[in-house]
Amino acid sequence: MAMQSSQRPKLLAPGGDYLSSLAALDAGADEVYLGLGQFNARRRATNFGLEELNRLAVRARVQGAHIFVTTNVLLTEPEIPEMLDLIAGCHAAGASGVIVQDPGLLYLLSRELPELEVHASTQLTVHNRAQIEYLAGFGVKRVNLSRELSLEEIQELTGAAGELGIGTEVFVHGAYCVSYSGQCFMSSFMGGQSGNRGLCFQPCRRFYRPDGSDEQRLSLSLKDNNALAHVKELSSAGVAALKIEGRMKGPRYVHTLVYAYRAALDGKPYQPESAERVFNRGFSAGYLEGKVTGDMFAAHPFDASLIPAGRVGSYRADETLLTLEPGEHSPAPGDEGVIYTPENRFIALITIEELIGEGRFRISIREALKGRIEPGMRLFIQTGEKEQTELIVRLESQATPSIPLSVEIEAEVGKPLRTSWRAEFSADDAPQATVESTMPLQEARSRGLDRVRLGAQLGKLGGTPFTLESLELSGTDRGFLPLSELNLIRRIAVESLQRRGGPEQEAFERAKAARPIAGNPADDGGSLPRLILLCTASDAEAVKSAAGGETLVAVDPVREGLLRGGELPLADALSFPALLQQDQLTAAAALLDRTAAERPETLVIANNSGAARLAAERGLRWIAGSELHAANAWAIGAANACSASAAVVSRELSAAQLKALQAGAGSLGTLFIPVFGPILLMTTRQCLYRRSFGCEKGVSEASCRDSCSRAGWIEDARGNRFLITKRPGYQTELFNQALLSLPEALRSFPARGYLLDLRLESFGFGRETALAVLAGFLALLRGEVKPAELSADLRRRLLAGATLTKGSYKRGLS
């Protein structure tokens, strides 16, 4: 293992709005991450405008801090130029770099704008060494590791990243998503609000009823991450940054946590319990400690920092009279509270105005109601409102710092005026810029460019953070330039001084006109068949026989136990899942060594970029799987540049988005469209079966992963059903009740390829059904049936009793 860095980690804090970002800097953050507009994974946060970003970047630079902009969403084909405009604006406003999820954007920035600092988002689901090696090819400077990793795993990957000159970043506080980030499609397929577009409506925080039980349980909701006790260990592990989650939270939340982690990093006294006084769902450090147990699940859906005050007995709106059943805390006049339904749906913010009698209160409503106040709802008293108000007043009273400028000017008639600018942000940050006039200095007919005239014009710095303090002149008294030319010099200099290195603005315009190029011209995918068929190893021979030569039959080596040895199946391809922990990756490397030696014609379908890296190293042809999120032509180009033969496009795209992608991809290789099969909603390191149904096993998480086989259905309050499955060698998966079925896509995209997932055993269908479904799609390809006829046959006969859906085919990535 490479020697770990002795440098103390940076403290990276959330900035959901301007005040929260100021709070982060005030409390001692080294870096702040924030989003602008629609292109970030917290679109429900207030977010920023470029003017606010510029003001914040100035404050940050004065205290030696940095601002990073989150562009961590998937992008459709027409959005790439918009994203480049946004990044260019952020760069000009003083941002230090961007945080990226979309593989196409990573590829574009590395190829066209390599000077820009790029960090890989946690949405890229990085959890093994080969993934870091894959990302190194795109020039990333830092990788945000998956939240699911233990301290030992983090240390190992940090060492591997250090060998490549890449830093690692670890989430230390805030929400734990139950799914691996970047691999959750539950919100997308339930309601068209994609977590990969920053619109997750958090279905994991809802109640679910397991089959066979009437009890509503929080089957998918985890406590919050809290690694305050492990800051020293993470520092010793060599991580580059500790990241606090919370761009949906307010200034007090951010200030409280940044202050605590700053003190812990600096070895100063702090109060760990201070974290309990701001929003939380209870705390756990289970992943970091390697204790993936049921203790990590939330006990209730409510904010644990709130004080329970009882259940609503009644409410009379005409008199604003609220009665409460006795609770743990009796409200007093002046208390501010929040009312939730038993299912944790927010209803109202209130203030207790008057105590009328025992359990009876006159209240005022602070904001518009989100529903009727009804019996059984719960009232909680908020704490810290006074602290938040005082903090906001103090932050708003802080003056914007003024940055002194020194300017040196050299002039000679007949040559361009040369100006050298220096800004004194801080002792360690004094950027310089040299700007020349676009025209030569003319002979002055009367008065030349003396100190008064130049100082007056170049010192017009209103609306900027700068103040002209020093002006050194040489040879200007005989020269003349129009005022418009001096204004242009000043504007260019100011823009340059505010940028923190990286590409010039013209480079962004060139990038907008660039197109991805084929990186693997020897194999553009033209030799591939039009159908990829995923099936079980036991069905592979029957599927291959039924399909004939028109298809490519693939099996999952993890699901089939091939990582533990055994004969290679009679299949054309090995399809690796999106999640491969490091020990599984090591086993996968051995399997691919054997495959390359015994069956070098075998293809690899890689839903994990680490598996893609392994295949490419061994000279095996590989195809980018749908979980690598190809949503634009640059993403196809990214896979192609790493020697991919083809790509399976994202399952979240609409027909219109698919057509735009198809047009943009051009000759980059074959695109496969998923048209049939189970819809995987999430993969998790947690045992959802144990949480929902209970389990008598008392084994470790690792041994459970490798040996356990369980399945069960859960249902939400609206009757939506979800299948929990646990297979040997696999982590727990959650599937949608409905199967994806898109026969019409074969007519809409006749020149492309298609993927059918025939692994239907968990849904109660066997080999006979899988072969019948295959026969139907083959008939459709040959023009023997129409899409509507096949759809009707699937619903009526082949998959009787199953629910079918078109998924995101109509609405796509919103």
Side-chain angles (χ1 to χ4, degrees):
M1 180 182 297
M3 182 177 294
Q4 304 302 317
S5 170
S6 60
Q7 186 174 0
R8 185 170 54 188
K10 302 294 185 184
L11 183 55
L12 178 57
D17 58 26
Y18 186 69
L19 281 174
S20 295
S21 300
L22 287 184
L25 294 173
D26 185 78
D30 298 301
E31 301 170 346
V32 175
Y33 65 102
L34 50 87
L36 284 89
Q38 65 175 330
F39 294 129
N40 74 93
R42 286 294 183 271
R43 283 166 64 184
R44 299 187 194 280
T46 303
N47 292 313
F48 276 75
L50 288 175
E51 184 177 338
E52 285 182 313
L53 173 60
N54 181 234
R55 285 190 285 134
L56 185 71
V58 169
R59 287 185 180 274
R61 292 186 75 167
V62 167
Q63 65 186 64
H66 292 258
I67 305 297
F68 289 94
V69 176
T70 57
T71 57
N72 53 339
V73 293
L74 298 185
L75 300 170
T76 60
E77 190 66 21
E79 292 172 335
I80 295 290
E82 298 176 54
M83 175 61 87
L84 287 174
D85 284 339
L86 175 64
I87 295 175
C90 294
H91 177 56
S96 294
V98 292
I99 302 169
V100 175
Q101 173 190 10
D102 190 277
L105 184 61
L106 276 179
Y107 175 44
L108 186 155
L109 295 177
S110 67
R111 205 187 84 178
E112 303 295 330
L113 300 160
E115 312 98 310
L116 187 69
E117 181 159 349
V118 175
H119 295 177
S121 168
T122 191
Q123 293 290 110
L124 280 162
T125 328
V126 178
H127 55 281
N128 66 51
R129 181 179 185 132
Q131 288 177 297
I132 297 174
E133 294 170 347
Y134 184 90
L135 290 172
F138 297 105
V140 300
K141 297 297 188 293
R142 190 191 294 172
V143 173
N144 188 190
L145 299 176
S146 294
R147 290 174 174 87
E148 288 76 6
L149 301 178
S150 68
L151 183 64
E152 183 180 355
E153 290 168 320
I154 289 168
Q155 186 169 7
E156 181 180 355
L157 293 184
T158 296
E163 294 171 0
L164 299 167
I166 295 174
T168 59
E169 182 177 286
V170 176
F171 270 109
V172 292
H173 204 100
Y176 269 143
C177 290
V178 68
S179 172
Y180 282 85
S181 294
Q183 297 300 329
C184 185
F185 306 94
M186 194 169 187
S187 178
S188 180
F189 282 91
M190 283 181 68
Q193 299 180 59
S194 174
N196 286 315
R197 294 279 282 184
L199 286 174
C200 178
F201 65 82
Q202 297 189 319
C204 56
R205 303 300 180 188
R206 297 181 175 185
F207 284 93
Y208 295 86
R209 181 187 63 80
D211 268 7
S213 172
D214 294 327
E215 180 186 353
Q216 298 291 322
R217 302 179 185 178
L218 289 171
S219 298
L220 309 176
S221 184
L222 298 182
K223 295 176 181 176
D224 283 357
N225 182 14
N226 183 342
L228 264 171
H230 300 285
V231 166
K232 185 176 180 179
E233 295 164 282
L234 287 165
S235 297
S236 298
V239 299
L242 307 183
K243 188 172 188 176
I244 297 171
E245 187 270 344
R247 283 194 289 133
M248 300 290 287
K249 307 298 193 300
R252 176 172 166 262
Y253 176 93
V254 174
H255 196 278
T256 299
L257 295 174
V258 172
Y259 188 88
Y261 278 91
R262 177 79 277 157
L265 271 172
D266 294 346
K268 296 178 179 178
Y270 66 96
Q271 297 178 318
E273 63 272 15
S274 63
E276 299 173 5
R277 297 199 294 267
V278 293
F279 180 92
N280 69 88
R281 301 177 181 89
F283 289 127
S284 173
Y287 285 135
L288 198 63
E289 295 169 352
K291 299 175 182 176
V292 187
T293 67
D295 292 339
M296 292 186 67
F297 285 88
H300 58 74
F302 304 108
D303 175 4
S305 73
L306 299 174
I307 300 174
R311 294 184 181 272
V312 174
S314 65
Y315 176 64
R316 294 187 58 176
D318 56 342
E319 300 180 20
T320 63
L321 184 64
L322 182 76
T323 64
L324 289 178
E325 297 174 0
E328 301 173 24
H329 173 82
S330 181
D335 282 350
E336 295 184 333
V338 57
I339 295 176
Y340 288 102
T341 68
E343 296 78 28
N344 195 32
R345 184 167 59 87
F346 168 77
I347 296 296
L349 288 171
I350 70 166
T351 299
I352 304 294
E353 300 290 352
E354 183 182 1
L355 175 62
I356 303 299
E358 185 67 28
R360 301 174 70 235
F361 306 89
R362 189 90 60 197
I363 67 170
S364 60
I365 307 295
R366 286 154 54 195
E367 293 181 5
L369 288 169
K370 300 298 183 182
R372 296 179 60 181
I373 300 175
E374 297 178 339
M377 291 183 176
R378 298 186 67 175
L379 172 66
F380 296 89
I381 300 303
Q382 294 177 306
T383 60
E385 292 301 303
K386 182 179 179 182
E387 294 175 42
Q388 170 122 323
T389 300
E390 291 174 349
L391 174 63
I392 289 174
V393 169
R394 181 167 66 81
L395 293 174
E396 288 180 333
S397 67
Q398 294 178 354
T400 301
S402 179
I403 313 302
L405 278 182
S406 58
V407 182
E408 297 181 3
I409 300 178
E410 300 176 12
E412 183 179 344
V413 173
K415 294 183 178 180
L417 186 73
R418 180 181 176 86
T419 65
S420 299
W421 303 66
R422 180 183 175 90
E424 301 292 344
F425 278 95
S426 65
D428 299 323
D429 187 7
Q432 301 182 51
T434 299
V435 183
E436 293 187 347
S437 60
T438 61
M439 59 188 298
L441 197 67
Q442 303 170 30
E443 184 79 40
R445 294 181 179 179
S446 55
R447 179 183 174 190
L449 295 176
D450 57 23
R451 181 178 300 276
V452 174
R453 179 171 293 186
L454 283 168
Q457 206 61 35
L458 299 181
K460 290 183 177 180
L461 296 164
T464 79
F466 301 112
T467 302
L468 182 61
E469 286 204 354
S470 171
L471 185 61
E472 298 292 331
L473 308 179
S474 174
T476 61
D477 55 338
R478 294 178 50 246
F480 168 79
L481 280 177
L483 294 182
S484 60
E485 191 72 13
L486 294 176
N487 291 338
L488 178 62
I489 290 173
R490 183 189 67 240
R491 180 176 62 79
I492 294 173
V494 166
E495 289 180 354
S496 178
L497 291 170
Q498 290 189 106
R499 292 196 294 270
R500 301 196 69 155
E504 295 298 321
Q505 297 303 97
E506 294 80 5
F508 287 95
E509 291 302 317
R510 291 195 297 270
K512 286 167 63 177
R515 299 304 306 160
I517 57 175
N520 188 25
D523 181 6
D524 64 359
S527 61
L528 295 172
R530 293 183 65 191
L531 283 185
I532 294 176
L533 304 175
L534 297 179
C535 65
T536 63
S538 60
D539 287 348
E541 188 172 359
V543 168
K544 193 170 183 63
S545 175
E550 302 180 53
T551 60
L552 186 155
V553 176
V555 301
D556 183 333
V558 182
R559 178 183 290 194
E560 301 297 337
L562 296 179
L563 299 190
R564 300 190 296 274
E567 293 295 322
L568 294 177
L570 294 174
D572 305 303
L574 300 175
S575 178
F576 285 90
L579 282 306
L580 285 173
Q581 290 172 253
Q582 184 59 44
D583 65 320
Q584 293 176 309
L585 184 86
T586 302
L591 172 64
L592 290 177
D593 283 337
R594 188 154 59 98
T595 301
E598 298 177 17
R599 295 186 187 173
E601 71 282 3
T602 303
L603 274 83
V604 171
I605 302 172
N607 289 285
N608 181 287
S609 58
R613 170 84 176 179
L614 296 180
E617 286 178 337
R618 286 152 180 79
L620 294 169
R621 290 199 304 166
W622 72 278
I623 297 172
S626 63
E627 273 72 39
L628 286 187
H629 300 309
N632 55 69
W634 280 100
I636 306 298
N640 194 264
C642 296
S643 75
S645 297
V648 183
V649 300
S650 167
R651 291 181 298 144
E652 294 190 87
L653 298 181
S654 68
Q657 290 166 345
L658 283 167
K659 287 180 178 178
L661 169 57
Q662 177 180 342
S667 61
L668 290 175
T670 300
L671 303 183
F672 286 90
I673 302 169
V675 294
F676 180 83
I679 298 174
L680 177 61
L681 297 180
M682 68 168 66
T683 306
T684 174
R685 200 163 182 170
Q686 296 293 333
C687 182
L688 300 184
Y689 187 91
R690 181 190 298 271
R691 176 64 177 175
S692 299
F693 299 95
C695 180
E696 71 284 357
K697 293 182 178 180
V699 297
S700 68
E701 177 253 343
S703 61
C704 182
R705 182 201 70 183
D706 292 335
S707 63
C708 188
S709 179
R710 296 291 177 93
W713 291 86
I714 58 175
E715 182 178 300
D716 69 11
R718 298 181 179 180
N720 298 309
R721 287 169 58 78
F722 306 94
L723 174 64
I724 296 171
T725 65
K726 174 65 190 68
R727 302 179 179 89
Y730 250 58
Q731 298 181 69
T732 302
E733 297 174 305
L734 188 76
F735 287 90
N736 201 9
Q737 176 185 13
L739 299 171
L740 178 69
S741 180
L742 290 174
E744 55 266 63
L746 276 71
R747 290 294 174 87
S748 299
F749 304 93
R752 299 293 160 164
Y754 314 97
L755 182 144
L756 279 72
D757 188 345
L758 301 175
R759 298 170 297 182
L760 304 176
E761 67 279 4
S762 296
F763 291 80
F765 299 104
R767 179 186 299 176
E768 183 179 348
T769 301
L771 294 178
V773 169
L774 171 60
F777 275 90
L778 289 173
L780 179 59
L781 269 180
R782 293 192 291 266
E784 297 169 1
V785 297
K786 296 179 180 178
E789 294 172 337
L790 177 55
S791 289
D793 200 30
L794 289 170
R795 293 180 185 277
R796 182 183 66 253
R797 185 176 63 87
L798 301 181
L799 294 165
T803 305
L804 303 181
T805 178
K806 298 185 188 304
S808 298
Y809 195 64
K810 290 186 176 180
R811 59 193 176 212
L813 280 168
S814 57

